[in-house]
Amino acid sequence: TPSKPPPNPYYTTNLFLRLTYCFLLPFISIARKRKLVKEDFYDNLPKEKAENIHKEFQTIWDQECKKKNPLLHRALFLTLWRDILVLLPLPIFVVSCDIAKSLVLGKLLQKFVPNSTMGSTEALLYTFTLTLCSVFSSVGGHRMFYHFYIIEVRIRIGLQTMIYRKLLNMNRRTLNKVTIGKVNNLISTDSDIFTTALPIMSYSIIMPLVIFVIFALIYRLIGLASVFGFLFFCIYFPSQIFIGKWIAHYKKKACELTDSRIKLMNEVIMGMRIIKLYAWEKAFCRRINKSRNSEIKETQKTFFCEGLLIRMPESFILIVTFIIFVSHHFLGGETGNELNPTTVFPVMSLLFVFNHFVILLGLKGVMHFIRVRVSIQRIENFLLIDLKEPTTDGYRVMDENEILLSHSPSNEIQENISNSISCITNRGTLILDSVCSRY
C-alpha cells in the first residue's frame, strides 16, 4: 500500500511563517540532502484536492445548465466570488504602499533642500517609513500572487475535470464530431490560460481608482500641467483597447484554424492506407500546407498586436513626463509651483507607479481578459455541445454543409452485415469505415 503523504503544515504554522514561507524550510533542507521522492511532498489542502474541486465546479455547472441560457463565466463567478472578493484588497494595498513611497520620498528630499528646517529625527522617521512601505509592498504582492495562483489552479483543475466528464458522458454520434486535437487544445491551452491571468486582471478592476488617485496627487504637486498629461492618457487608452479587440479577433480565428488543422491531420493518419491506395499524397499535402499557412498568418497577426501592446507603454512614461514638465514651464507663472527636487522626484515616482500598475499591468490585464473570454467561450461551446444540438423526433437535423452517406449491402454480404450503413459528415471529410478494410 502506498504510504500516506505528510500533512500540509500551512494551517498549523503561525502567521509570520506563512508570510515569509519559512514553513517550507524542512522541505527545502530535504531537497538539499537528496533527491526528492513522491513521499516527501506534502498532502494537498482540502480545497485543493481534485475530487473536491470537481464536485464543487460540477454542482454549480449542473445548476447553470438547467437555466434557459447557461453561461460558463457566470458559473465560475458563482463558484469563486467569495475567494476573489476577499483578495481584492490586496492589490489595493500594494498600490497604496507604492503611492505612499512616492509621497514619503518627496518629504524626505526636503531635508536636502538649502535652508531646510527638517531635523535628523524627522528624516530618519521618513526613511524608516519608506523602508516599511517597500517591505509591505513586497510581502503583499507575494501573498496576492500566491493566493490568486491557488484560485487559478482550482479553475484549471475544475475545467479539465468537467471536460473529461463531458467526454465520458457523450453518446457515440456526438463523440464522432469531437477530434482529439480539439480536446487537447481545450485541456492544455484554453484551460491553462488562467495560470497568469487573475492577479494581473485584478489590477484592471482597480485601474479607475488608481488613475483618479495618482492624477489627483500629481495635480496637487504640480498644478494645471498635470491636466495635459491626463489628456494624453485619454488619447492613448482607447488605442490599447482597440488593439486588444484585434488580439481577440485574431486569437479566435487562430484557434479555429488550429482545430481544423489537427482534425485534418487525424483524418490523414487514420486514412493513410486509403490515401496510399489512391495516391492522394500530394493533394493532402497541399491541403495541410494551406491549412498550416492560414494558421501561421493569424498567429503572426496575434503576436504582432501583442508585441505592439507590450512595447507601446515603454514610451508612455517618457512622453507624459515631457508633456507635464514642458506644460509646467509655460504655465509656471500661473501655477505658482516651482520645479525643485521635492516636486520633480515625487511626480516622477508617481508616474512610474502609474506606468507600472495602469499601463503595464492594467492594460495587460485587459488583454488577458479578452483572451480568457475567448477560451471560456470555446470551453462553454464544448460543454454545451449536446444541449445546443437541434433535434427533431430524436434525429439530428443536418446542417447545410453536411451530406448523408448511406449504403445498403448486397445479398452476397448480407450475412455479415445485418443493417444498412448510414452516416452524416461534413463536406470534404475523409470517410473511413471498417467495412472497407474488411472487403
Side-chain angles (χ1 to χ4, degrees):
T1 60
S3 60
K4 189 177 180 180
N8 199 311
Y10 183 78
Y11 286 132
T12 59
T13 55
N14 56 45
L15 181 62
F16 176 77
L17 295 180
R18 292 187 199 176
L19 293 177
T20 58
Y21 303 100
C22 290
F23 67 92
L24 293 175
L25 289 178
F27 180 79
I28 297 174
S29 63
I30 295 175
R32 292 184 60 187
K33 296 176 182 177
R34 58 176 174 83
K35 192 174 182 180
L36 293 174
V37 294
K38 182 180 179 181
E39 289 74 15
D40 296 328
F41 291 91
Y42 298 132
D43 191 14
N44 291 327
L45 297 175
K47 292 184 66 175
E48 300 170 12
K49 292 183 180 293
E51 55 183 4
N52 296 336
I53 294 174
H54 169 66
K55 187 182 297 183
E56 182 183 10
F57 276 73
Q58 193 66 48
T59 302
I60 300 295
W61 177 243
D62 291 340
Q63 295 174 359
E64 185 71 20
C65 289
K66 296 177 182 178
K67 299 179 182 179
K68 184 177 180 180
N69 185 24
L71 298 173
L72 181 58
H73 64 84
R74 184 167 57 196
L76 292 177
F77 176 77
L78 292 176
T79 307
L80 302 168
W81 70 272
R82 294 181 183 86
D83 299 324
I84 296 177
L85 189 64
V86 171
L87 294 179
L88 274 183
L90 280 177
I92 298 177
F93 175 75
V94 173
V95 176
S96 301
C97 288
D98 285 348
I99 293 176
K101 285 194 299 183
S102 303
L103 300 178
V104 173
L105 178 64
K107 295 293 184 180
L108 181 61
L109 289 175
Q110 292 180 0
K111 171 67 176 176
F112 306 99
V113 174
N115 301 323
S116 175
T117 58
M118 181 183 295
S120 300
T121 305
E122 187 177 358
L124 288 175
L125 185 62
Y126 283 130
T127 304
F128 176 75
T129 305
L130 188 65
T131 306
L132 206 61
C133 289
S134 300
V135 173
F136 285 162
S137 176
S138 178
V139 173
H142 281 94
R143 299 307 301 176
M144 182 190 68
F145 274 88
Y146 170 76
H147 288 290
F148 271 117
Y149 182 75
I150 297 298
I151 296 178
E152 291 163 357
V153 170
R154 291 175 60 196
I155 295 175
R156 186 171 72 245
I157 294 175
L159 293 177
Q160 290 174 351
T161 53
M162 288 166 59
I163 292 171
Y164 179 70
R165 181 181 177 182
K166 182 68 177 180
L167 287 172
L168 294 179
N169 294 334
M170 279 183 177
N171 56 45
R172 187 171 183 81
R173 176 178 292 180
T174 307
L175 192 60
N176 290 334
K177 295 173 57 178
V178 179
T179 62
I180 299 175
K182 182 175 182 178
V183 176
N184 287 335
N185 277 340
L186 292 175
I187 292 178
S188 62
T189 303
D190 292 303
S191 62
D192 198 53
I193 196 68
F194 296 92
T195 304
T196 57
L198 280 184
I200 298 178
M201 288 170 60
S202 65
Y203 288 112
S204 300
I205 298 175
I206 65 171
M207 186 168 58
L209 178 62
V210 177
I211 293 172
F212 174 78
V213 171
I214 289 182
F215 272 107
L217 292 173
I218 294 177
Y219 180 81
R220 183 181 178 183
L221 290 170
I222 207 168
L224 191 62
S226 61
V227 177
F228 295 95
F230 180 74
L231 292 177
F232 175 76
F233 170 75
C234 293
I235 299 172
Y236 174 85
F237 184 74
S239 66
Q240 299 292 90
I241 301 298
F242 188 66
I243 296 174
K245 291 183 177 180
W246 279 358
I247 293 173
H249 174 71
Y250 293 138
K251 180 68 177 179
K252 185 176 181 180
K253 291 185 66 176
C255 291
E256 293 174 354
L257 292 172
T258 301
D259 294 339
S260 176
R261 177 182 59 82
I262 294 176
K263 179 181 178 182
L264 177 61
M265 290 301 301
N266 288 333
E267 293 175 353
V268 170
I269 294 173
M270 297 295 294
M272 188 60 67
R273 291 184 180 180
I274 297 177
I275 293 174
K276 289 289 185 180
L277 177 63
Y278 291 100
W280 289 343
E281 294 93 336
K282 293 184 179 180
F284 274 93
C285 282
R286 287 194 295 268
R287 287 190 61 184
I288 293 171
N289 290 331
K290 182 179 178 180
S291 177
R292 182 59 178 163
N293 290 334
S294 301
E295 180 188 357
I296 290 175
K297 287 181 181 179
E298 298 301 326
T299 305
Q300 286 177 343
K301 293 177 183 178
T302 304
F303 284 122
F304 175 78
C305 292
E306 288 182 355
L308 191 63
L309 196 65
I310 293 173
R311 292 302 175 186
M312 284 179 65
E314 295 182 357
S315 59
F316 174 82
I317 184 68
L318 300 177
I319 297 174
V320 171
T321 304
F322 175 79
I323 291 174
I324 288 178
F325 287 122
V326 169
S327 302
H328 183 274
H329 173 73
F330 287 106
L331 298 174
E334 299 179 6
T335 59
N337 296 323
E338 297 181 357
L339 283 180
N340 51 56
T342 60
T343 302
V344 173
F345 281 97
V347 169
M348 289 292 297
S349 182
L350 288 172
L351 287 176
F352 275 106
V353 173
F354 182 87
N355 186 65
H356 179 70
F357 289 106
V358 176
I359 304 301
L360 289 178
L361 295 181
L363 295 180
K364 193 176 181 181
V366 175
M367 182 181 68
H368 277 287
F369 174 79
I370 295 171
R371 297 178 65 180
V372 165
R373 187 180 64 177
V374 173
S375 297
I376 287 179
Q377 186 64 46
R378 284 167 50 82
I379 297 175
E380 179 184 302
N381 293 335
F382 176 79
L383 295 176
L384 297 175
I385 193 170
D386 287 333
L387 300 178
K388 292 184 177 181
E389 190 173 286
T391 58
T392 303
D393 298 332
Y395 297 95
R396 188 168 67 86
V397 179
M398 293 172 54
D399 298 331
E400 59 180 5
N401 63 337
E402 294 180 335
I403 58 176
L404 174 65
L405 301 180
S406 62
H407 171 69
S408 297
S410 62
N411 295 330
E412 298 178 357
I413 60 174
Q414 187 69 36
E415 56 184 6
N416 293 326
I417 306 176
S418 58
N419 299 320
S420 60
I421 303 170
S422 65
C423 67
I424 299 175
T425 184
N426 294 326
R427 300 182 186 275
T429 304
L430 181 62
I431 303 300
L432 301 174
D433 194 88
S434 58
V435 178
C436 299
S437 59
R438 187 181 300 177
Y439 298 98

